[in-house]
Amino acid sequence: MKLSIKGVGFSYADTPVLENINLEVDGSELLGIVGPNGAGKTTLLKCMNLILRPGAGNILLDGKEIEKIQRQELAKILGYVPQHSPKAFPTTVFDLILLGRRPYVKWGINENDIKKVTEVMKLLKIEDFALRYFDELSGGERQKVLIARALAQEPDILLLDEPTSNLDLKHQLEVMEIIKNLARKGGISVIMAIHDLNLASRYSDRIVMLKDGTICAAGEPNSLLTSESIRSVYGVEAVVVNNLERPYIVPIKSVDRM
Amino acid sequence: MSRSEVIHGNGTKSEEMRARYAKFIGRKVLFISILLILLILLMGFSATLGSARLDFVEVYCSILHNFFPGSFDAGWLAKTVVWKIRLPRIIMAVVAGTGLAIAGAVMQSILRNPLASPYTLGISSAASFGASLAIVAGVGIVGGEYLIVINAFLFAMLASLLIYGLSKRRNASPETMILAGIALMYLFSAMTSLLQYFGESEAVKEVVFWMMGSLGRASWRSTGIISAVILICTPYLILKAWDLNAIGAGDETAKSLGVNVDRVRIICMFIASLMTASIVCFTGTIGFIGLVCPHMVRMAIGGDHRFLLPASSVLGGFVLLAADSAARTVIAPVILPVGILTAFMGVPFFAYLLIRERRGYW
C-alpha cells in the first residue's frame, strides 16, 4: 500500500502547525519522523489517518483520497498507536487487543478474531498476561499491548507516536526490535514519530526532519544526521560519531539556531 | 507452565487461550443469567408483599386468573390489588431500574467518567424543575397530572439539548459535556429552589414528594410508555457495544478503529437522556441506580459493553425492585419513597464493594 502526502497543511484555529508537507511511503519501510517539540510530528501522524482533517493538500492511499475512504475501511489499512491514552475503566489485555478487530466484527466474535488476537500476542510475547488488567501492567508491557491492538487491525501501515517514550532501556530496544521486524518481515510500512535521535538513527530506513511544521530534510540516517543538521533543526551542538554502523549522536550543549 | 508447553507451545497455547477466553465469557453470561433468575424470583416474591393481607395462593390465583380464567379464580379484592396496584408497580420498578442503569452506564462510558449519571448531568434536576413548575404554577388548570409528566419530560430533554448545543459549539469532548451538565444541574436546582421559596406550602410539599422519587404513581399506561421507550433504545445501545468499547480506549484510538466518535457520543447521549427523561417524568428523581449499578457490574464482570449493558439493566431492575419492595414493607402500611431506600440499601453495599475491591481503579 502506497501512502502519498501531497502539499498537506494543518492549522489549530489560526496557528499553522503544518505547511506544505510532501511525503511518500511505500512497502516495507521504517520511516522515522524526528524534530523538536511542537514541530508537528504528532499532528502529521494524526492527519495521516484522519483523526485530524488537513486544511490543505491531499493524502492518498494507492492513489485514492483518504477522505473518500470510509473510516471503517481506513481502519483496516492504517493502525495507530497514540502517545497517551486517557485513564479508562479497567479492561483486560485480551479485550483491549480484541478492540483492534472492531473494523472487522459486526457484534459477535468469531474464531478468526480470537486467532488473530492470539497471534499478535504471541508475536509480541505477551500471551502470559492476556487476562490481566491493562492498568496493572508496566509501561513497556502496555506499549506492547497497544502495538498488539494496532496489529490486530491487520494494517498495511502502522503509525506510532513516540513508541519508546517512558520506557526503560531494555523495553526501548525490545519495542524497537519488534517494530523493525514488522517492517522487514511483516511487510508493513511503519511510520513513527520519535524523539530519541539515536533510536531513530539505529532503526529507521529513512528519516524525515520536521521543523516549524515543514520538512527541512529527509533521507537515510547516514547522510541526514550530521552536526550541521542537528544544529539547525534543534539548536543543539552535537558530536556525531560515525565509526559505528549508524551515526551516533552525542549532544553537547544548547546553542542559538542558525 | 511446564517446559514442554513452552517448547511445543504454538498449537497448545492458542488452544489454551481460546479455552481461557471462552471461560472468561462464560462467567459473564453466567453472571447475567443468575441475576436474571434472581430478578424473576424477586418479582414473584414482591407480588406477595403489601399492606392488603393476601396470601401466596390468592396472589398467584389472581395472576393466573387472567391467563387461564377457567382454571384459577380469586376474590375481587385480590384481583384488583394484584392487577391494578402491585403488578404495574413491580413492572415499573423493573423497567425504570433497567433504563436508569443502562442510561448511567452509557453516559459513564461515552464521557469516560465514573461520576456521570442522569443525576450529575442535570437531566434529573431539569425534570424536577419541569415538574415543580407544573405543580406550583399550573396544576389543575390544564392536563392535571399529565401536565407534570409532560413538563418534566420536556425540561429533561431541554437539558440534554442544551448540553448538546454547548458542546457542539466547541467539540463534543467529554469534559465540555460534563461541565455543561453540572452547570445546568446547578441552574435547574436554583430555579426549583426559587419556585419552592415563592410557592404555596401545599404545592411545595408536593414538589418535595415528587423529587423524592416514587413508584406509587405507576399505572399500566405509564409502565407501557416507559417499556416501549426502553425496548426501542436498549437494543440500539447494545448494538453499539463495540463503538462504546472503542471510545473507552480514548477518542483518538476510537477514531483510528473506524468509529465516528462525535456522532456516536451525541447519539448515545441523546438516547440515554431520552430514556432517563421518560422514566423520571413518571417516577420523580431516583438517584443512585444510574450511578452505581454500572460500577457494580464493572467490578464483577468487567467493562465489555456487550455484557456490561445487559448486566447493568438486569441489576438496575433488581436493585430498584428490591428497594421498592422494602419501601413498601419496612414500616407498612406507610410506604417510604423509593429514592430514599435505594440510597439507604445501596450505599453500604457499594461502600463494602469499594473497600473490598483490589484493582487500582476504584
Side-chain angles (χ1 to χ4, degrees), chain A residues 93-94 97-99 101 112-122 148 152, chain B residues 17:
Chain A
V93 167
F94 194 97
I97 299 174
L98 192 60
L99 209 47
R101 302 300 297 166
N112 186 43
D113 296 315
I114 294 187
K115 193 169 136 250
K116 281 279 161 353
V117 172
T118 314
E119 275 173 19
V120 294
M121 286 201 294
K122 201 184 305 178
Chain B
M17 185 71 69

Short mmCIF file of all heavy atoms in Angstrom, two decimals, chain A residues 93-94 97-99 101 112-122 148 152, chain B residues 17:
data_model
loop_
_atom_site.label_atom_id
_atom_site.label_comp_id
_atom_site.label_asym_id
_atom_site.label_seq_id
_atom_site.Cartn_x
_atom_site.Cartn_y
_atom_site.Cartn_z
N VAL A 93 -6.23 -7.18 29.07
CA VAL A 93 -5.37 -7.08 27.90
C VAL A 93 -6.03 -7.71 26.69
O VAL A 93 -6.04 -7.14 25.60
CB VAL A 93 -4.01 -7.75 28.22
CG1 VAL A 93 -3.20 -7.95 26.96
CG2 VAL A 93 -3.25 -6.93 29.25
N PHE A 94 -6.64 -8.87 26.90
CA PHE A 94 -7.27 -9.55 25.77
C PHE A 94 -8.36 -8.69 25.15
O PHE A 94 -8.42 -8.51 23.93
CB PHE A 94 -7.84 -10.91 26.21
CG PHE A 94 -8.20 -11.79 25.05
CD1 PHE A 94 -7.32 -12.77 24.61
CD2 PHE A 94 -9.39 -11.63 24.38
CE1 PHE A 94 -7.63 -13.58 23.54
CE2 PHE A 94 -9.72 -12.44 23.29
CZ PHE A 94 -8.83 -13.41 22.88
N ILE A 97 -6.92 -5.78 23.15
CA ILE A 97 -6.37 -6.14 21.84
C ILE A 97 -7.49 -6.53 20.88
O ILE A 97 -7.48 -6.21 19.70
CB ILE A 97 -5.33 -7.28 21.99
CG1 ILE A 97 -4.18 -6.81 22.88
CG2 ILE A 97 -4.79 -7.71 20.63
CD1 ILE A 97 -3.18 -7.88 23.20
N LEU A 98 -8.50 -7.18 21.45
CA LEU A 98 -9.66 -7.58 20.65
C LEU A 98 -10.32 -6.35 20.01
O LEU A 98 -10.91 -6.44 18.93
CB LEU A 98 -10.66 -8.30 21.55
CG LEU A 98 -11.81 -9.05 20.88
CD1 LEU A 98 -11.29 -10.13 19.94
CD2 LEU A 98 -12.71 -9.66 21.93
N LEU A 99 -10.19 -5.22 20.67
CA LEU A 99 -10.74 -3.97 20.14
C LEU A 99 -10.19 -3.68 18.75
O LEU A 99 -10.85 -3.06 17.91
CB LEU A 99 -10.37 -2.85 21.10
CG LEU A 99 -11.26 -1.65 21.24
CD1 LEU A 99 -12.70 -2.04 21.41
CD2 LEU A 99 -10.79 -0.82 22.43
N ARG A 101 -10.01 -5.60 16.48
CA ARG A 101 -10.83 -6.30 15.49
C ARG A 101 -12.11 -5.53 15.18
O ARG A 101 -12.90 -5.97 14.35
CB ARG A 101 -11.19 -7.72 15.99
CG ARG A 101 -10.00 -8.59 16.30
CD ARG A 101 -9.12 -8.81 15.10
NE ARG A 101 -9.79 -9.51 14.00
CZ ARG A 101 -9.32 -9.60 12.76
NH1 ARG A 101 -8.18 -8.99 12.46
NH2 ARG A 101 -9.99 -10.23 11.85
N ASN A 112 -11.80 -16.64 13.99
CA ASN A 112 -10.70 -15.93 13.33
C ASN A 112 -10.23 -14.73 14.17
O ASN A 112 -9.03 -14.47 14.27
CB ASN A 112 -11.16 -15.47 11.95
CG ASN A 112 -10.03 -14.84 11.17
OD1 ASN A 112 -8.92 -15.37 11.18
ND2 ASN A 112 -10.29 -13.72 10.52
N ASP A 113 -11.17 -14.01 14.77
CA ASP A 113 -10.79 -12.86 15.60
C ASP A 113 -9.91 -13.31 16.76
O ASP A 113 -8.88 -12.71 17.06
CB ASP A 113 -12.04 -12.16 16.13
CG ASP A 113 -12.87 -11.56 15.01
OD1 ASP A 113 -12.28 -10.92 14.13
OD2 ASP A 113 -14.10 -11.75 15.02
N ILE A 114 -10.33 -14.39 17.41
CA ILE A 114 -9.56 -14.88 18.55
C ILE A 114 -8.20 -15.38 18.08
O ILE A 114 -7.18 -15.15 18.74
CB ILE A 114 -10.35 -16.00 19.28
CG1 ILE A 114 -11.60 -15.37 19.91
CG2 ILE A 114 -9.50 -16.67 20.34
CD1 ILE A 114 -12.39 -16.28 20.78
N LYS A 115 -8.18 -15.99 16.90
CA LYS A 115 -6.91 -16.48 16.36
C LYS A 115 -5.95 -15.31 16.11
O LYS A 115 -4.80 -15.35 16.50
CB LYS A 115 -7.18 -17.25 15.06
CG LYS A 115 -6.00 -18.06 14.59
CD LYS A 115 -6.42 -19.00 13.46
CE LYS A 115 -5.39 -19.00 12.36
NZ LYS A 115 -5.79 -18.38 11.12
N LYS A 116 -6.47 -14.25 15.48
CA LYS A 116 -5.64 -13.08 15.19
C LYS A 116 -5.09 -12.46 16.48
O LYS A 116 -3.91 -12.11 16.56
CB LYS A 116 -6.46 -12.04 14.42
CG LYS A 116 -6.59 -12.36 12.95
CD LYS A 116 -5.33 -11.93 12.22
CE LYS A 116 -5.09 -12.54 10.87
NZ LYS A 116 -5.90 -13.58 10.33
N VAL A 117 -5.95 -12.33 17.48
CA VAL A 117 -5.51 -11.75 18.75
C VAL A 117 -4.43 -12.62 19.37
O VAL A 117 -3.39 -12.12 19.84
CB VAL A 117 -6.71 -11.58 19.71
CG1 VAL A 117 -6.23 -11.17 21.09
CG2 VAL A 117 -7.67 -10.53 19.15
N THR A 118 -4.65 -13.92 19.34
CA THR A 118 -3.66 -14.83 19.91
C THR A 118 -2.33 -14.71 19.15
O THR A 118 -1.26 -14.70 19.75
CB THR A 118 -4.18 -16.29 19.84
OG1 THR A 118 -5.53 -16.30 20.30
CG2 THR A 118 -3.35 -17.19 20.70
N GLU A 119 -2.43 -14.61 17.83
CA GLU A 119 -1.20 -14.48 17.03
C GLU A 119 -0.40 -13.24 17.39
O GLU A 119 0.81 -13.30 17.58
CB GLU A 119 -1.57 -14.41 15.54
CG GLU A 119 -1.74 -15.77 14.89
CD GLU A 119 -2.28 -15.65 13.47
OE1 GLU A 119 -2.18 -14.54 12.87
OE2 GLU A 119 -2.80 -16.65 12.97
N VAL A 120 -1.07 -12.10 17.46
CA VAL A 120 -0.31 -10.89 17.75
C VAL A 120 0.24 -10.92 19.17
O VAL A 120 1.33 -10.41 19.42
CB VAL A 120 -1.10 -9.58 17.50
CG1 VAL A 120 -1.43 -9.42 16.04
CG2 VAL A 120 -2.33 -9.48 18.35
N MET A 121 -0.50 -11.56 20.07
CA MET A 121 0.04 -11.65 21.43
C MET A 121 1.29 -12.51 21.46
O MET A 121 2.25 -12.22 22.16
CB MET A 121 -1.02 -12.20 22.39
CG MET A 121 -2.09 -11.17 22.70
SD MET A 121 -2.99 -11.50 24.21
CE MET A 121 -3.81 -12.97 23.79
N LYS A 122 1.26 -13.57 20.65
CA LYS A 122 2.43 -14.44 20.57
C LYS A 122 3.61 -13.68 19.96
O LYS A 122 4.73 -13.72 20.44
CB LYS A 122 2.09 -15.68 19.75
CG LYS A 122 3.02 -16.84 20.04
CD LYS A 122 2.76 -18.03 19.16
CE LYS A 122 1.33 -18.51 19.20
NZ LYS A 122 1.09 -19.64 18.29
N ALA A 148 0.10 -4.30 19.86
CA ALA A 148 -0.64 -5.52 19.51
C ALA A 148 -2.06 -5.17 19.03
O ALA A 148 -2.56 -5.75 18.07
CB ALA A 148 -0.71 -6.46 20.71
N ALA A 152 -3.67 -6.08 15.47
CA ALA A 152 -4.88 -6.90 15.32
C ALA A 152 -5.78 -6.32 14.23
O ALA A 152 -6.64 -7.02 13.71
CB ALA A 152 -5.62 -6.99 16.65
N MET B 17 -5.50 -20.47 25.03
CA MET B 17 -6.02 -19.11 25.06
C MET B 17 -7.51 -19.09 24.73
O MET B 17 -8.30 -18.43 25.39
CB MET B 17 -5.25 -18.28 24.03
CG MET B 17 -5.59 -16.83 24.03
SD MET B 17 -4.94 -16.07 25.50
CE MET B 17 -3.19 -16.17 25.13
#
